[in-house]
Amino acid sequence: MKKLLFAVCISASAFSFAQDYSVPAASPRQKVEQQFSMSKISIDYGRPGVKGRKIFGELVPYGQVWRAGANSSTKITFGQAVNFGGKMVPAGTYGLFIVPTEKDWKVILNKDFQQWGAYTYDAKNDVVDVTVPVNKLADKQEWFEITINPTDENSGNLVIKWDMAQAEVALKPAKPDAVTKIAEKLKEIKKIEADAAKTKS
């Protein structure tokens, strides 16, 4: 009976341990969420490593659609309508894909954001695509990375880099005049609230 009780305790401990830990992923999943203008942009993507391989032109063939990461397709969510590299995109979630060449990348937003890789990619579901130049990095980017770098209060760049390559897509509000007016009104409201708080104290 004691042996059985001991075995049960060991099994329970192992099960609890397994719930807290997992085998390291070859391409860890990354979720990025950042304030953008009046709302947020979030990105969910897999981060493959270079691991001594030749990436662009071999592992990621030129002229073919790539999932922009690893495993399930990369998802990008805009909390408001945006100007994506000069083209208007409604608020919502999209699959992010890339068609790379040696000199530039076609960056695509597609309605289907729930597919595995790019195996069922259908150009008919494309919302927009923009072609941007590729710059050579001074230092190798071992792990694939997507970030958003602000350029001012309401604008930024979507930065995609891996190995020795980097490309950027400019992001702006779809309706900058409306955003400016809303921001001014919000600042007025905050000032009124601050003044009211001072009066109470």
Side-chain angles (χ1 to χ4, degrees):
M1 187 67 182
K2 288 183 179 179
K3 288 182 179 180
L4 178 61
L5 192 61
F6 179 75
V8 169
C9 289
I10 292 295
S11 297
S13 298
F15 180 72
S16 176
F17 180 86
Q19 285 183 316
D20 294 333
Y21 297 90
S22 60
V23 175
S27 300
R29 203 74 188 171
Q30 175 78 43
K31 290 184 180 179
V32 177
E33 184 175 84
Q34 187 164 312
Q35 177 76 28
F36 175 79
S37 185
M38 309 299 295
S39 61
K40 292 180 180 179
I41 294 177
S42 60
I43 307 165
D44 184 332
Y45 69 106
R47 300 192 65 191
V50 175
K51 301 177 182 178
R53 301 173 293 184
K54 182 180 179 182
I55 302 302
F56 297 105
E58 192 167 302
L59 180 68
V60 178
Y62 287 136
Q64 295 182 28
V65 176
W66 174 50
R67 72 190 85 186
N71 303 322
S72 58
S73 60
T74 293
K75 294 188 295 185
I76 184 166
T77 300
F78 300 111
Q80 69 187 72
V82 298
N83 178 321
F84 186 81
K87 298 183 180 180
M88 301 306 161
V89 178
T93 301
Y94 303 94
L96 177 68
F97 298 90
I98 294 171
V99 178
T101 70
E102 197 168 356
K103 294 183 178 179
D104 53 41
W105 289 355
K106 180 190 285 186
V107 183
I108 303 164
L109 297 181
N110 187 278
K111 291 178 183 177
D112 187 356
F113 58 86
Q114 294 182 312
Q115 58 183 290
W116 181 267
Y119 299 109
T120 58
Y121 167 82
D122 187 345
K124 292 178 183 177
N125 290 322
D126 288 352
V127 178
V128 297
D129 65 72
V130 296
T131 300
V132 293
V134 174
N135 298 312
K136 188 172 182 179
L137 292 169
D139 298 307
K140 180 183 287 187
Q141 175 71 33
E142 174 65 27
W143 296 94
F144 178 71
E145 183 179 67
I146 303 177
T147 54
I148 301 164
N149 286 342
T151 52
D152 61 36
E153 284 185 348
N154 291 301
S155 303
N157 291 323
L158 180 72
V159 182
I160 306 168
K161 55 185 176 180
W162 196 22
D163 197 10
M164 301 301 294
Q166 173 176 302
E168 299 183 9
V169 179
L171 300 173
K172 298 177 182 179
K175 297 179 180 179
D177 291 341
V179 166
T180 300
K181 288 178 181 178
I182 293 169
E184 287 173 354
K185 292 297 180 184
L186 288 173
K187 286 176 182 178
E188 287 178 15
I189 292 168
K190 285 187 176 181
K191 186 177 184 305
I192 291 169
E193 289 176 343
D195 291 343
K198 288 179 183 177
T199 304
K200 286 181 182 180
S201 59

